[in-house]
Amino acid sequence: MTLPVGTAAPAFTARDTNGNLVKLSDFAGKTLVLYFYPKDDTPGCTKEACSFRDSYSEFRNKDIGILGVSRDDEASHQQFTQKFSLPFPLLADTDGSITKAYDVEKGTYSKRVTYIIDAIGKISQVYEGDNLNTETHGPDILAAIH
């Protein structure tokens, strides 16, 4: 079960693609798209990341942050980011602590789940399963956030 809408988003601190520490509190006061995905540079995960990449300027214009999270390490994230010119950070959740906190654990991977976290740190929307199309996920999220 994923965390339900209305739940306070669990705090986290993790290293991003470039080794910088990123915390949930860095996004206080703005909307954050926190998307979990199974593995760097696999077909579905690549489509999903590229859909966010292709919509990135619209997210920026609306002051919406995007963070991708998987169990891959920083080196894997760097390669994935460079290969597909991803303009947003990917968090290296190598110990699975964020994956567990957000209840998206599937063995040694993260399930494909997206949480929209509002400006006060509450989960306002959850996307998974049939309501998540990897090819159009970025635009779909933009359309759903008002």
Side-chain angles (χ1 to χ4, degrees):
M1 276 290 288
T2 54
L3 300 178
V5 169
T7 302
F12 60 79
T13 301
R15 297 250 176 228
D16 72 5
T17 313
N18 299 312
N20 301 312
L21 275 181
V22 176
K23 299 179 280 196
L24 176 61
S25 59
D26 295 341
F27 296 88
K30 68 191 297 187
T31 300
L32 174 64
V33 175
L34 184 67
Y35 83 95
F36 291 85
Y37 64 98
K39 189 117 183 85
D40 288 343
D41 207 6
T42 57
C45 299
T46 298
K47 288 176 191 171
E48 185 175 27
C50 290
S51 80
F52 282 117
R53 176 200 65 201
D54 295 346
S55 304
Y56 188 67
S57 62
E58 294 173 67
F59 281 97
R60 296 269 309 199
N61 291 341
K62 292 185 174 192
D63 199 29
I64 298 169
I66 301 173
L67 291 174
V69 182
S70 80
R71 303 281 305 263
D72 296 303
D73 62 21
E74 291 167 44
S76 177
H77 284 343
Q78 287 169 357
Q79 291 174 340
F80 188 42
T81 295
Q82 289 170 356
K83 184 174 181 181
F84 294 101
S85 302
L86 303 180
F88 50 85
L90 302 176
L91 301 184
D93 185 28
T94 54
D95 67 358
S97 60
I98 304 170
T99 298
K100 288 175 187 152
Y102 281 81
D103 204 14
V104 296
E105 192 173 22
K106 184 177 185 178
T108 58
Y109 298 99
S110 301
K111 290 190 275 186
R112 189 179 314 282
V113 175
T114 299
Y115 289 101
I116 309 304
I117 300 169
D118 67 19
I120 59 169
K122 295 233 186 260
I123 295 169
S124 62
Q125 296 174 50
V126 181
Y127 295 86
E128 64 180 322
D130 292 341
N131 71 355
L132 195 160
N133 178 333
T134 57
E135 291 185 38
T136 61
H137 198 40
D140 294 345
I141 295 289
L142 274 169
I145 297 175
H146 304 293

